[in-house]
Structure formats: structure tokens, C-alpha cells
Amino acid sequence: MANPDNKKRFFENLSGEGKAIAVLTSGGDAQGMNAAVRAVVRMGLYVGAKVYFIHEGYQGMVDGGDNIKEATWESVSSMLQVGGTVIGSARCKDFRTHEGRLKAAHNLVQHGITNLCVIGGDGSLTGANLFREEWSGLLTELVEQGLIEADSVQRYSALHIVGMVGSIDNDFCGTDMTIGTDSALHRIIEVVDAIMTTAQSHQRTFVLEVMGRHCGYLALVSALACGADWVLIPEMPPEDGWEEKMCQKLSANRAGMKRLNIIIVAEGAINRNNKPITTDYIKNLVVKNLGFDTRVTILGHVQRGGTPSAFDRILASRMGVEAVLALLETTANTPACVVSLCGNQSVRVPLMECVQTTQEVQKAMDQKRFEDAVKLRGRSFENNLRTYKLLAHRKPESELPTSNFNVAVLNVGAPAAGMNAAVRSAVRVGISEGHKMFAVSDGFEGFYKGQIKEVKWGDVGGWTGQGGSLLGTKRTLPAKHIDKIAEQMRKYNINALLVIGGFEALLSLLELSAARGKYDEFCVPMVMVPATVSNNVPGSDLSIGADTALNAITTTCDRIKQSASGTKRRVFIIETMGGYCGYLATVGGLAAGADAAYIYEEQFDIRDLQSNVEHLTEKMKTSIQRGLVLRNENSNENYTTDFIYQLYSEEGRGVFDCRKNVLGHMQQGGAPSPFDRNFGTKISAKAVQWLSQKLVESYRRGRVFANSEDSCCLLGMRARALVFQPVVQLKDETDFVHRIPKEQWWLKLRPLMKILAKYKTSYDVSDSGQVEHVIHSRPKDSDASVAM
């Protein structure tokens, strides 16, 4: 969120008049590159710049001719949902030579281009920086050869470079997430989920190889997201003798009635002597030592294919707009920068600092400094690895601490995909901390009825990929049954509570906190983890389940828009869930390329509706074939989905026809996305570790007693970090009538959605402009992974 003390500044002050921006995609392709290209083109045109496509990456820049074409608003329509890169990408040997770069400079000058937006990996961005450093010398050579006029050296004196990292490997230091990584994880998890059903049927072991070159991010996070038995990554090779330990683990899991084993191997996996570990080696090992029926699956380029996820579309769109702003603000002395993601914020970091740190990782691995390699990958990678080890490898009973504390876990509110991953994580981390873990069925309704039972490590196996709530969840609040709940707390000697849920979970903790004066049973540490598709919980930028819902909305919108292909011009009115919170409508609209999104937080009237219809009518008269309008379910009592549908139908008559669709509960269902599995796992693990700390602090004279404000907290993501906040302090931030936070960070994305839909609006860029150093761009105490 922007600092309220910052004076707002708007991009209208940053004119692009007279400037020419070129965008290219280079190196390997990645889902989401097209969303980035679209954002660069539309933002560039919006500020008055000329924008050019450079087709086929650096090869197109060297070859020139038709490879460099001016872009129009319409030329990037219908590309948001397309995988790969529609402007082409190629490895280019010519650009590595001085002669090749001289040709490229000549081609750019002919079009007046001095601003480059490069979407690619570290090699592509390093090449761009070298090109920038040589620029003035290249122009001088071109003058000497008589290829350009002498005054061109002054007119085009500096080349400005801004990079965005498009790579499924997530191997670029300086950003939490690269464009394409989330989509690749979707492909991997789809395959793993499918394989698990056949593996279970036949009691098989599957060894899966995933991409990533020399980076183990995809392997590590997919292992975390599917609960794999074993994972092998290049940054942290297994200790000598790992083969025996792995076989023991697989055998123990089978003995525990598990019918399948999943082993995930990064394609660059190595042992401690830097020798490759192959999938065939692992298969033969398992067959020889255990006799298990074992199969190998190499996922290959399927991971780079398919439509981009909602996360990648939003990330790429935000980065594309930020890249244009960076180009408008750059000067001759500004170092080339990369637009990256830190927690939930777009930041700019010096390009070469990122490249050098990335190269340091490989150097550390070559020198067998594996712990340094993990640290250089960043806090997100470190935290993923730490969490995987904590959850996947159970210590023997003799090595577990004995805390004698009982911790209860329950789900409250509506179901949200990722809740089960959070419960699994809580149970296993709690057991690792030495606690007895108790699962409560059906929320506080089950609590007062005594539906409480101890849950063991193996009881939550296979939970990560399950949608909904396996514990059961209800909206019942505790106040009505406070006596009976206190009685159950006494009966089971519950020393701490973890509540996973939405707005009802927050209300529940407020009620339990208020009851502490009357009931000592509630004077125990309590923490809430936000889980709701509505993403309406104060104190957190993001809730478990929201990403899965966004993907459901985005996928459905893609299909609905595709249904209009080949028909006359058509506008679709889509109603989303969210109560009074417009998160799903706004961010879903950004991901799906909506023309408008109506929400409660931004009041609208009939004049706004009429203006939107007229705007869409004008667009439809050009080459635009389809329109998309989203409406949050409680955005307005009178301007219902039916009303808006009828208005658009009447006013668009003769230009377009209309269809409507209410998405309903499909947004809550389905298997959780990789993001929600990962986010739920890590945030829940952190919550239980906090409870352990509070239990030790509040244990006095043979009992737990905690009644301070900071012993009843919500754990939420705030911009760049996971933060514990006392629930009573969140009261002032909450609109209890409409069940939403009073301030919501994602409202800053609404102007972005409007700009990309060709509306004139103001876009606050208070958070932009600061270039941060790689080593300083991560907060000291942050272990936030990835967020939108």
C-alpha cells in the first residue's frame, strides 16, 4: 500500500510525446509474455509515445525490415489469454557480435527508437545492457560509415533499457517471481494431480522430471504444492547416503497405507560432487531396492505451453505499465533497471546487480557452497525449502520435543480452496514442535458439540490438492455458544487456537477475545489465517482461495469470449462473487481484459453506465469483436446484473448484442491453484510457529495464560511481509456493515484496468520511481513468497 504521507503524483506529468518505445521478447518463451507486450503497447500509446514491435527478438532487431513494425491499440487485442509470445522469440548469435549490434543500432535509429523494453531471461537482459553501454560508440561508427546523419548522434544520444524477466524457471535474482513461473506450476500440478490417481490405482511410484535448468524452484514449489515424498534440486544436493534414506522414506509411507509415491526431480539435479542425478537412476534404485512398480514421466515443454494463469497475466500487466513509466522517467545517467516483484509490490532494481547475483548462484554451486546458493536465491526460495523439509520429513518420536501443549485447528466461514493445505501444514508443523494437534469439525458449531479429535501426521497425507474443507466449515459464530465452547476447551485442555477462515473467522476471534474477561479458557494464544475467495479480510492483502477463484473466473471468461469467435460483435456481462468486496471483479477483470468492472467500493450511477456503453460502442465500431463487463454481486442494490444486461442490450442495439452469465459457486470449487497450496502451506506453518513461541512465553506456574492484545492476532500479507496484527487493532480498519476493509490495496489496480481498456483516468504512481538495490529490496524479516 502507498504511504498515505506521500504526496500523490500522477503519470499525466510524464508525457511520452515524441518518444518511441520498442518491445521485444527474447530467449525462451513464457506464458504471460503477451500480457506484458499488451501492457507496454497500450500504456505507451496512452501516454502519447510511438510503440513498435520487434519480431523474433534480437534477430529481428539485427535483420530489421518488416521485423520492426509500429503497434496499434487493436494489434494487441485478444492476445492476453494466448500462451507463448505472438511477436516471436529467437536465440540470436548475430547480436553477440559487434557487427550484429551495429546493424541493430542502425535499424533502431531509422525508426527513431531510443527506448527498449526487453522481456527475457538473464542472457537477454545482459545483452541489452551491453548494447546500451556501446550505444554512443555504435552511432559514431554509423556516422563514419555514412549510414546516418551526424546530427543523429545528438538526437538519439542515449539508449534507455528497462527489462522484465520472462522465464518459467524463476532463476533470476532480484524478483520473487518471473513471468511464466506460476503458469508452469499450473501445468506441473495438473499433471501431478492426474498422475496421482493412476498411481494410486496401481500402487505405483512415479518419478517426475520438471524444467528449470540449474534452478530448482519449479521442482521445490511443486513438491510443496503436491506433498511429494522426495525432491531433488541443484541448489541443495542430498547428503551422501541419500539413496538409502529415500528408500526408507518411500517404504515407510507405503507401510503407512499410502498407495503411491511421488518423487520430483529438477532437470539440473546434482549430487554433492556436482554429478547429475537422473530420473532413470532413481527409477532403477527404487526398483532394485524396494521392488516397487516405478514409472518415469518427463514433463518437458508442456510446462511452457498453454494459456497463462491469472497471476501471470496480472503480474505481466503490472510490470508492463511500470516498465513504460520507468522508460519515461529515465535519464542518460539512469542505470538500466528490471521491473520486479517484491512481496506484493512492483519495484525497480538495477539490471546488472540482478545479473551478477544470478551468476553468483551458479558460481556458489560450482564451488559446492550450496548453503550460499540457497541464500542467494532469495528469502522466498529459502522459506520454501525450509517449509518443505519441515512438512515432508517426519522426525522420529525420540527426536521430537515434548511441549505438552494441545493446539486446536478449525475452519470457519465459507470453504476456500487451499484450506486443506493450510490444515495439513498446521498439523505437521505442530507435531514437529512437539504439540498434540486437535482437529475441530464444522467450525464453532462442531466445537460446541464436541466434534474434536486428535489428528496425527499421517491423517493429513494427500490433503494439499483437495478443494473445499475436509474438516468441514460453518459460518456459526462462537458468542451464542460461548459456555459450551469454554467447556470443550476445558475438557480437551486446549492451550492454543488456529482459526483458518474468512470474515467470520475475524469476528470469531474478536468475540473470543472479548470473552476473556469472563472465561479463563480463552486466555490462550489465538491466531487467524485468512482464507476466503472474497479476499475481504482486513489486515491482509491476500487470502487463501482468492487465487483459485481468480483462475476460475479468468478461465470462464476466456471460454465465454471464445464462444463469440466468428459471430457478430457481442458483449458479455459476468457476475462474480465477493459480497461487497470488489476484489474478484476488479482483478479478474484485469486478468481477463475486461472493459469495465462494477464494484461497491467505487460507486457508479446511470451516467457512468451510459458512458461505459458509449465507450464500448465506439470500440465495437472498429475491429474489436468482443466486450467483457464484470459486476460484483453486491456492487449496487438497484443496478443489478439484469439491469446492466438490459441497458447494454438496448443501447448497443445495431452495434452489438449482449449475453450474461452468473458464475456463482464454481468460484469456490475445484482443486486449489499452486499459489493457494503454497501460500496456505507457508502462512499456516508460520502461524503455528508463532503459537509455539506464545505458548512458551505465556506458560506460568503450570498453566498457559495469555490475555494481552498481542496474543490474539491475524497473520496477513502486508505489501512485502507476513505480519501478525492484534485483531482488536483491526477494528478501526474494518467496515463491519459491509464486511470489507476500509482501505484496500487493489483499488490502485482499477485505473490500470481502465487504461488498458482505453479509458482516460488518473493513475497514482507514488510507489514508483525508486530504484532499489537487490540486497536491500527484501525486508529483513520478510518471508512472504509470492503475491499479486
Side-chain angles (χ1 to χ4, degrees):
M1 294 170 90
N3 184 340
D5 297 328
N6 284 350
K7 185 178 179 183
K8 285 189 176 181
R9 59 191 186 95
F10 296 96
F11 76 87
E12 284 98 329
N13 302 324
L14 301 169
S15 173
E17 293 293 339
K19 293 194 174 185
I21 299 170
V23 58
L24 71 147
T25 53
S26 177
D29 66 308
Q31 308 97 317
M33 278 184 165
N34 289 324
V37 170
R38 171 180 177 267
V40 170
V41 169
R42 291 196 167 177
M43 189 63 176
L45 294 173
Y46 195 84
V47 297
K50 274 190 173 183
V51 186
Y52 291 86
F53 292 132
I54 298 179
H55 292 271
E56 312 306 333
Y58 286 119
Q59 191 65 57
M61 195 190 296
V62 172
D63 294 343
D66 289 341
N67 288 303
I68 302 176
K69 291 181 181 176
E70 190 169 351
T72 65
W73 194 274
E74 289 74 24
S75 62
V76 291
S77 296
S78 303
M79 67 189 290
L80 189 60
Q81 67 271 25
V82 179
T85 165
V86 298
I87 60 173
S89 182
R91 314 276 181 191
C92 179
K93 290 181 181 177
D94 292 339
F95 192 74
R96 295 178 185 176
T97 67
H98 182 79
E99 293 75 15
R101 292 192 291 276
L102 190 66
K103 288 180 184 176
H106 184 217
N107 289 325
L108 293 188
V109 169
Q110 284 184 313
H111 290 86
I113 297 168
T114 56
N115 297 280
L116 267 187
C117 183
V118 181
I119 308 166
D122 57 342
S124 302
L125 298 175
T126 303
N129 191 64
L130 175 62
F131 190 40
R132 171 183 167 274
E133 289 173 348
E134 291 181 346
W135 181 255
S136 59
L138 294 171
L139 294 196
T140 302
E141 281 188 59
L142 290 172
V143 171
E144 289 170 355
Q145 293 178 19
L147 294 172
I148 61 172
E149 300 295 328
D151 64 349
S152 295
V153 176
Q154 183 64 33
R155 198 183 322 154
Y156 307 118
S157 59
L159 179 67
H160 306 300
I161 301 281
V162 172
M164 286 183 276
V165 190
S167 167
I168 67 166
D169 302 333
N170 204 31
D171 59 349
F172 193 80
C173 297
T175 184
D176 285 348
M177 204 71 157
T178 57
I179 296 167
T181 304
D182 186 70
S183 301
L185 284 171
H186 273 259
R187 299 295 92 77
I188 295 167
I189 293 305
E190 284 165 10
V191 171
V192 173
D193 285 352
I195 277 176
M196 286 175 98
T197 59
T198 184
Q200 217 161 14
S201 301
H202 296 276
Q203 295 197 58
R204 280 181 176 149
T205 295
F206 269 87
V207 184
L208 284 88
E209 181 183 287
V210 302
M211 293 177 94
R213 289 193 305 173
H214 304 296
C215 178
Y217 184 89
L218 288 178
L220 178 57
V221 175
S222 56
L224 198 57
C226 73
D229 298 272
W230 203 267
V231 65
L232 292 154
I233 60 171
E235 292 87 351
M236 188 53 68
E239 300 287 347
D240 292 342
W242 64 272
E243 293 95 340
E244 186 180 343
K245 288 180 182 176
M246 184 187 75
C247 289
Q248 286 173 353
K249 170 89 185 295
L250 299 180
S251 183
N253 284 350
R254 284 292 178 92
M257 303 305 291
K258 189 175 179 183
R259 292 177 59 85
L260 74 154
N261 301 114
I262 299 290
I263 301 165
I264 295 183
V265 188
E267 64 180 347
I270 53 174
N271 63 21
R272 290 270 156 178
N273 296 313
N274 283 338
K275 300 296 182 188
I277 299 175
T278 66
T279 51
D280 283 337
Y281 176 76
I282 296 168
K283 175 191 172 180
N284 294 335
L285 184 72
V286 174
V287 171
K288 180 183 175 184
N289 289 8
L290 301 174
F292 290 171
D293 186 0
T294 306
R295 298 287 189 274
V296 169
T297 299
I298 297 173
L299 300 190
H301 283 74
V302 69
Q303 296 158 87
R304 278 162 69 158
T307 188
S309 66
F311 182 96
D312 272 328
R313 299 184 199 194
I314 296 156
L315 174 67
S317 297
R318 290 177 70 182
M319 283 185 169
V321 168
E322 183 70 20
V324 172
L325 294 175
L327 285 171
L328 294 182
E329 292 179 331
T330 194
T331 66
N333 299 320
T334 306
C337 73
V338 174
V339 178
S340 69
L341 182 76
C342 180
N344 196 27
Q345 286 189 319
S346 293
V347 296
R348 303 175 194 173
V349 286
L351 189 155
M352 289 315 295
E353 278 189 23
C354 296
V355 170
Q356 285 158 10
T357 308
T358 304
Q359 291 169 349
E360 280 294 319
V361 178
Q362 188 59 52
K363 194 182 294 182
M365 288 194 288
D366 291 341
Q367 296 171 357
K368 301 183 183 180
R369 294 184 290 111
F370 298 112
E371 289 185 8
D372 290 343
V374 170
K375 286 178 182 174
L376 286 165
R377 283 281 183 226
R379 287 193 174 273
S380 174
F381 191 95
E382 272 189 282
N383 196 38
N384 280 316
L385 183 57
R386 191 185 314 118
T387 307
Y388 177 78
K389 287 179 177 178
L390 197 60
L391 299 177
H393 302 290
R394 185 183 182 184
K395 291 180 181 177
E397 296 283 346
S398 58
E399 293 181 24
L400 290 174
T402 49
S403 68
N404 297 318
F405 293 125
N406 295 344
V407 179
V409 183
L410 66 159
N411 295 336
V412 175
M419 275 183 164
N420 297 321
V423 172
R424 170 185 177 268
S425 174
V427 168
R428 292 196 169 181
V429 172
I431 290 170
S432 297
E433 301 267 314
H435 310 317
K436 269 190 178 180
M437 300 301 295
F438 289 83
V440 182
S441 299
D442 297 334
F444 283 105
E445 188 172 312
F447 209 132
Y448 85 81
K449 291 178 179 177
Q451 295 171 205
I452 304 166
K453 65 175 184 179
E454 187 179 354
V455 60
K456 301 287 190 179
W457 185 280
D459 295 337
V460 291
W463 279 35
T464 49
Q466 300 289 317
S469 167
L470 292 173
L471 286 184
T473 182
K474 295 284 178 71
R475 296 180 184 270
T476 307
L477 298 179
K480 281 184 182 178
H481 310 284
I482 203 77
D483 288 337
K484 290 181 179 177
I485 293 171
E487 184 184 323
Q488 297 296 339
M489 293 280 287
R490 276 196 307 277
K491 179 180 176 181
Y492 289 92
N493 189 29
I494 302 299
N495 307 121
L497 274 182
L498 170 61
V499 182
I500 301 167
F503 203 86
E504 289 88 355
L506 175 65
L507 295 176
S508 298
L509 282 199
L510 286 169
E511 290 181 359
L512 295 179
S513 178
R516 280 174 163 179
K518 187 176 178 182
Y519 300 93
D520 281 356
E521 288 81 4
F522 302 121
C523 293
V524 296
M526 295 185 274
V527 67
M528 172 194 165
V529 168
T532 167
V533 301
S534 302
N535 199 34
N536 63 332
V537 178
S540 187
D541 290 355
L542 202 67
S543 298
I544 298 165
D547 183 70
T548 304
L550 280 175
N551 278 288
I553 292 167
T554 306
T555 302
T556 306
C557 287
D558 286 351
R559 290 175 180 171
I560 286 171
K561 287 198 295 183
Q562 191 179 46
S563 72
S565 296
T567 66
K568 61 182 179 179
R569 294 183 175 92
R570 183 165 287 169
V571 174
F572 298 93
I573 315 295
I574 311 291
E575 181 181 294
T576 64
M577 293 178 83
Y580 285 95
C581 181
Y583 175 82
L584 290 179
T586 296
V587 183
L590 181 58
D595 295 277
Y598 299 116
I599 62 170
Y600 169 78
E601 292 90 344
E602 192 174 283
Q603 294 294 299
F604 58 95
D605 57 24
I606 194 67
R607 287 169 299 223
D608 297 311
L609 291 169
Q610 184 63 33
S611 174
N612 293 153
V613 173
E614 290 171 0
H615 180 80
L616 200 46
T617 302
E618 283 303 309
K619 286 171 69 175
M620 285 285 184
K621 288 177 180 175
T622 63
S623 60
I624 304 295
Q625 294 293 320
R626 293 164 300 224
L628 183 66
V629 175
L630 271 61
R631 178 189 175 273
N632 180 51
E633 58 185 350
N634 289 346
S635 57
N636 189 288
E637 188 178 352
N638 296 310
Y639 299 132
T640 63
T641 302
D642 281 337
F643 178 91
I644 292 172
Y645 162 68
Q646 289 166 6
L647 176 70
Y648 272 76
S649 296
E650 181 62 30
E651 296 299 318
R653 187 172 294 177
V655 180
F656 59 81
D657 67 356
C658 236
R659 295 288 185 273
K660 67 173 178 177
N661 198 307
V662 178
L663 300 186
H665 283 75
M666 63 164 287
Q667 296 157 85
Q668 284 184 339
S673 68
F675 183 98
D676 277 329
R677 299 183 196 197
N678 185 271
F679 184 55
T681 297
K682 289 201 284 188
I683 195 171
S684 191
K686 189 173 178 70
V688 172
Q689 289 169 331
W690 178 87
L691 284 175
S692 297
Q693 180 187 332
K694 288 293 178 183
L695 282 166
V696 172
E697 291 173 2
S698 58
Y699 187 71
R700 299 286 183 276
R701 297 173 186 169
R703 61 170 290 196
V704 172
F705 189 84
N707 66 350
S708 59
E709 284 186 0
D710 67 353
S711 65
C712 183
C713 285
L714 176 143
L715 174 58
M717 177 176 278
R718 291 276 202 167
R720 303 192 187 191
L722 292 172
V723 183
F724 289 94
Q725 303 141 97
V727 292
V728 293
Q729 292 180 16
L730 293 173
K731 282 183 178 180
D732 292 339
E733 298 181 26
T734 307
D735 175 351
F736 287 98
V737 175
H738 299 101
R739 298 159 59 90
I740 55 174
K742 289 179 180 175
E743 288 189 20
Q744 309 199 69
W745 70 272
W746 51 264
L747 287 171
K748 293 185 70 175
L749 298 181
R750 285 188 64 77
L752 176 58
M753 183 192 71
K754 292 176 182 178
I755 287 167
L756 298 178
K758 214 173 184 178
Y759 285 92
K760 286 291 178 186
T761 188
S762 294
Y763 182 47
D764 178 16
V765 291
S766 302
D767 290 340
S768 300
Q770 283 294 104
V771 175
E772 302 185 6
H773 295 286
V774 176
I775 54 172
H776 297 137
S777 64
R778 300 293 178 274
K780 187 178 178 183
D781 194 34
S782 167
D783 46 19
S785 59
V786 289
M788 271 171 275

